[in-house]
Amino acid sequence: MVGYGEVLQTIGAMVIFSLILLSATSMIQRNTYMQIEGELEQEVIALAQDIIEEARTKEFDEVSVGATAPPADIPGDFKTPSTLGPETSGTQDDDQNGDGKVTRHEFDDFDDYNGWEDVVETEHGEFNIRAEVFYVDETNFESTNTQTTFKKLRVYITSKYLDRQSSGSPTLYSLEFVRNYYAD
């Protein structure tokens, strides 16, 4: 009978050790998941920032592209809200890939990014990117249906590897930049 006490103590120690090991493994798994998600989020921010920085180098509006003088009627000469997006003149120069669309590298003004979509592959996987550009009110920077001297670029990014919401769809990340005609 004396040997049973030692066996029970050994079994108890094994159970306690197993619970500690299970808890440690769960913590390591959670930390690894958080680290990977952090790296993916950094990639999202870098991709969006690249697009925003590229758009900032372009002219504010098509009327300014190659112009020697500012438009006569600001903001009245700017493109209307319904026509924001890339321009095509139907020439081969505007359609280098032959599919009827102007590519991102052919954009010459800020609002050409409106409606642009792409899938970018990096070492962290595929990222779905789309952008929209719209005029914003000068006081609260909310969308407006009139021409102003302010345009907002909003970049949306998703990836199947990023945290999924309760709906089962990937988290949608959105980064914004407001550009002022006079700040160029």
Side-chain angles (χ1 to χ4, degrees):
M1 278 308 254
V2 177
Y4 289 120
E6 291 175 1
V7 170
L8 288 175
Q9 286 178 348
T10 303
I11 291 173
M14 289 174 64
V15 167
I16 291 172
F17 180 72
S18 296
L19 290 173
I20 291 171
L21 188 60
L22 183 63
S23 176
T25 303
S26 175
M27 184 176 61
I28 290 169
Q29 182 181 13
R30 193 171 40 250
N31 287 345
T32 302
Y33 176 78
M34 288 173 51
Q35 179 183 0
I36 291 170
E37 188 174 35
E39 289 177 14
L40 289 172
E41 287 177 345
Q42 286 178 341
E43 188 77 21
V44 163
I45 292 168
L47 289 169
Q49 196 63 36
D50 283 347
I51 294 163
I52 290 170
E53 290 301 320
E54 179 181 303
R56 288 179 64 188
T57 66
K58 310 294 184 194
E59 293 288 339
F60 181 81
D61 194 83
E62 185 64 25
V63 73
S64 304
V65 176
T68 56
D73 181 18
I74 298 174
D77 285 343
F78 295 152
K79 289 173 74 175
T80 62
S82 63
T83 61
L84 293 177
E87 306 77 30
T88 57
S89 63
T91 65
Q92 184 64 29
D93 294 339
D94 286 338
D95 185 15
Q96 293 180 0
N97 56 6
D99 66 357
K101 295 182 180 180
V102 177
T103 65
R104 174 177 150 202
H105 302 290
E106 298 171 279
F107 293 165
D108 60 1
D109 64 273
F110 190 75
D111 64 73
D112 284 351
Y113 291 84
N114 189 41
W116 173 76
E117 294 183 19
D118 199 5
V119 176
V120 176
E121 176 126 9
T122 70
E123 64 184 26
H124 294 106
E126 287 184 353
F127 294 87
N128 300 310
I129 305 173
R130 67 183 170 89
E132 66 178 345
V133 178
F134 47 92
Y135 286 105
V136 291
D137 185 272
E138 298 166 356
T139 56
N140 61 8
F141 299 113
E142 294 296 324
S143 178
T144 182
N145 287 326
T146 60
Q147 295 137 304
T148 68
T149 58
F150 289 90
K151 290 180 184 173
K152 183 184 280 190
L153 168 63
R154 186 176 290 153
V155 179
Y156 298 100
I157 300 181
T158 60
S159 173
K160 64 182 179 181
Y161 302 111
L162 285 165
D163 192 24
R164 298 192 178 271
Q165 301 179 10
S166 60
S167 66
S169 61
T171 302
L172 178 66
Y173 291 85
S174 170
L175 280 83
E176 300 177 343
F177 175 75
V178 176
R179 179 149 179 206
N180 183 353
Y181 173 77
Y182 294 111
D184 291 337

